[in-house]
């Protein structure tokens, strides 16, 4: 079952010299035959179908037309020079435009010749044109059936310059598949192939690159998508099984003074049913003797922090130290304040460690951690530093997990001989399919209920010209004693320009709400920590009524008296960010409001985002919509995982297949946790290959 063929360096392929090899590596990360083979077409053209020029309406999709050149012009000089070839079919005319490689194009174009033209129309000065199309002289004979479906590969300008446009890549693919040594090992078991009616792997690769028919193409796609999803699930299932076996956890069996005292004397409200259920789930992990690795999802304000606190107290009752890591200093501070407040008088030594902690204090904290006098350490990334060592770390709580890199989380594991229990909290609900793929080796708990008495936040989408109305509304709310957030997006790459945007907004607000009658504050990412904290503190203490901010306030900050959230340029925010921001209000008992302000000109997607926000406050629904609108690749935090660099499958479109793959992988691992049974040889072998190619690929926490 050798796979050396697939591991052959790409420069050994016919048609790939050193220069092209270099480009393939640089531009497409293709180093081996195998990597070229899994460089799949992103679409297919049916070469027997042609558009009429008059039918061109969409300025996005690739199209194919058949037309004659009626005019060739060279326009502009030097760098602005371009060639425009006007072509005509029996329905109309369109311009083909080239900006580069003009000399070559000029020689190639023959007037009055009919061409098959393939490209992506765009619109310029109200007219459609096709920039840098592919041209081909129509074949004199009708195409054989096997050549009517043509694959299209994505390429780059640099690759094209080396002759590797999509046709060039296709030629390489042909060389690969025609290679006399061409061999791809089957990686699924005969049983799975039979059960799911999948075509074998070799046929799938041939038909994905050179479809013999649309039916065979679709079979090839199904097979390769399934394979991709299945092995991710199999790896996760295996890791999970391995983790359970390998990492004995410290069993937290006791519920003692800390928990009891807090529950009976400090907790001023009844826990929600969801909180109780989740605490029970976590407790059963903690008592199991295995290391816990659990994801706690719950909408903003659903009471996750409180759950974490209860779990921390359980750890303390079992003589363990804990740490709580937050993504920003503001949040770490806030956790520190809230938790210190809630536990005051309980004899819990809590310390705060962030980037701005002074060296002397750091030293003291270091000692306290080592001799065990510090019970709970709250902080930011600073907790990950090498010299932060505990005497007996039993529990790590990570708040707002997607801000942290995978590798960073792994670091926390190493802080103890016995791996600490890990609880990862996220306020961004993760759609089930995504969670399955991203966090497949974590257990998951969901708080799906809000504490009682919360009024649903009223959300409105308004436009720039409504601003005076908004100002009037804000005045009313301030008169009622409420406080207001006004948030500006990061618009430019440049931090200085962002700041300008914010400062301009701040000035406008100041003229509408002048001192001494009003007090307006501002926080942004470039302020010193102390300044930020001071400003937040003034807001908390109601010394300012309006806080103008960038998204630094996005996560976690808790000011119950703030009941209005105004989001400027709301169209520029992603859905999950909007949802997070809105979650800053509605934390008290007053009716809260979220006002989204945008320009009139909105993309369809922006419009959908804003209307989703107006329609619902359900975080899971919002997350699902976000996933559908943007695809998983763009969701916060998924890039870093590397797991969603799917080559062919799509967890939204192929959701059913994903679920199937998940269940099948789970069953197989349950039956054969180490994949050591002979019938699973193919699977085991392929997982090994995958591991070779991506280190630490699935280390989630
Ligand atoms: P999250 O971390 O999920 O955003 P928090 O734990 O910060 O939510 O809780 C939000 C607010 O609700 C806090 O002020 C908290 O004290 C309060 N809270 C939490 N649980 C309950 C409950 N069961 N009943 C009433 N208030 C609660
Ligand atoms: Mg929180």
């Amino acid at each position: 079952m050798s796979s050396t063929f697939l591991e052959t360096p790409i420069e050994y392929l016919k048609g790939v010299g050193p220069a092209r090899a270099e480009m393939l590596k640089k531009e497409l990360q293709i180093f081996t035959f195998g990597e070229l083979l899994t460089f799949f077409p992103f679409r297919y053209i049916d070469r027997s179908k042609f558009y009429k020029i008059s039918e061109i309406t969409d300025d996005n999709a690739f199209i194919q037309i058949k037309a004659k050149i009626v005019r060739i012009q060279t326009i502009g000089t030097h760098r602005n020079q371009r060639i425009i070839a006007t072509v005509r079919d029996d329905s109309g005319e369109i311009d083909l435009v080239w900006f580069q490689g003009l000399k070559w194009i000029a020689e190639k174009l023959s007037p009055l010749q009919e061409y098959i033209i393939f490209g992506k129309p765009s619109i310029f000065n109200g007219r459609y044109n096709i920039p840098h199309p592919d041209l081909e002289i129509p074949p004199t004979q009708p195409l054989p059936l096997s050549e009517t479906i043509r694959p299209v590969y994505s390429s780059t300008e640099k690759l094209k310059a080396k002759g590797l446009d999509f046709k060039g890549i296709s030629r390489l693919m042909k060389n690969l598949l025609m290679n006399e040594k061409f061999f791809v090992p089957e990686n699924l078991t005969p049983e799975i192939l039979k059960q799911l009616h999948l075509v074998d792997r070799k046929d799938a690769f041939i038909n994905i690159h050179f479809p013999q028919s649309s039916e065979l193409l679709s079979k090839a796609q199904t097979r390769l998508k399934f394979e991709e999803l299945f092995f991710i699930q199999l790896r996760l299932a295996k890791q999970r099984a391995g983790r359970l076996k390998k990492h004995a956890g410290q069993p937290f069996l006791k519920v003692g003074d800390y928990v009891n005292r807090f529950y009976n004397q400090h907790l001023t409200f009844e826990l929600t049913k969801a909180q109780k259920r989740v605490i029970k789930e976590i407790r059963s992990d903690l008592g199991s003797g295995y290391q816990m690795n659990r994801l706690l999802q719950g909408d903003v304000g659903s009471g996750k922090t409180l759950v974490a606190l209860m779990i921390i107290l359980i750890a303390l009752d079992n003589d363990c130290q804990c740490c709580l890591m937050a993504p920003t200093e503001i949040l770490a501070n806030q956790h520190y304040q809230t938790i210190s407040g809630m536990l005051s008088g309980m004899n819990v030594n809590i310390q705060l460690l962030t980037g701005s902690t002074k060296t002397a204090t750091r030293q003291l904290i270091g000692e306290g951690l080592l001799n065990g006098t510090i019970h709970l350490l709250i902080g930011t990334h600073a907790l990950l530093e090498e010299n932060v060592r505990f005497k007996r770390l039993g529990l790590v709580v990570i708040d707002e997990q997607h801000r942290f890199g995978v590798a960073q989380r792994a670091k926390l594991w190493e802080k103890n001989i016995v791996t600490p229990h890990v609880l990862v909290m996220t306020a961004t609900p993760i759609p089930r399919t995504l969670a399955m793929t991203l966090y497949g080796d974590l257990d998951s708990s969901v708080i799906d209920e809000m504490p009682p008495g919360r009024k649903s936040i009223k959300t409105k989408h308004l436009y720039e010209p409504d601003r005076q109305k908004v100002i009037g509304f804000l005045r009313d709310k301030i008169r009622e004693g409420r406080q207001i957030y006004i948030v500006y997006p990061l618009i430019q790459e440049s931090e200085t320009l962002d700041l300008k945007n914010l400062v301009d907004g701040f000035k406008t607000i100041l003229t509408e709400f002048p001192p001494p009658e009003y007090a307006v504050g501002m926080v942004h990412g470039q302020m010193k920590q102390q300044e930020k904290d001071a400003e937040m503190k003034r807001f908390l203490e109601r010394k300012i009524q309006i806080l103008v901010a960038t998204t630094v306030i996005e996560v976690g900050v808790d000011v119950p008296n703030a009941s209005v959230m105004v989001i400027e340029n709301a169209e520029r925010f992603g859905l999950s960010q909007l949802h997070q921001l809105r979650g800053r209000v509605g934390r008290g008992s007053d009716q809260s409001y979220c006002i989204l302000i945008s320009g009139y000109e909105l993309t369809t997607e922006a419009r959908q985002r804003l209307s989703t926000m107006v329609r619902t406050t359900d975080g899971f629904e919002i997350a699902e919509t976000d996933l559908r609108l943007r695809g998983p690749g763009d969701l916060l935090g998924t890039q870093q995982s590397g797991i969603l660099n799917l080559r062919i499958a799509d967890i939204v479109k192929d959701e059913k297949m994903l679920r199937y793959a998940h269940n099948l992988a789970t069953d197989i691992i349950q039956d054969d946790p180490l994949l050591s049974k002979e019938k699973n040889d193919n699977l085991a072998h392929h997982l090994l290959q995958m591991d070779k190619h991506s280190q630490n690929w699935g280390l989630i926490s």
Side-chain angles (χ1 to χ4, degrees), residues 298-306 331 334-335 399-400 425-427 555-558 584 587:
D299 230 326
V300 212
S302 62
K304 293 183 297 298
T305 311
L306 193 83
L331 254 179
Q334 186 152 41
H335 277 315
D399 193 8
E400 316 288 1
M425 304 195 286
T426 175
V555 272
V557 178
D558 197 3
R584 297 304 105 218
R587 306 198 134 220

Side-chain angles (χ1 to χ4, degrees), residues 60-71:
N60 280 314
F62 278 88
I63 55 154
Q64 181 170 258
I65 56 178
K66 203 191 267 180
K68 263 194 186 116
I69 296 191
V70 293
R71 201 162 45 240

Side-chain angles (χ1 to χ4, degrees), residues 467-484:
R467 199 172 296 279
Q468 276 316 312
K469 228 165 67 188
V470 176
I471 300 278
F473 178 75
L474 299 185
R475 283 213 182 89
D476 289 345
K477 287 295 142 190
I478 292 174
R479 206 169 301 128
E480 290 167 21
R482 299 287 84 77
Q483 288 166 286
I484 290 151

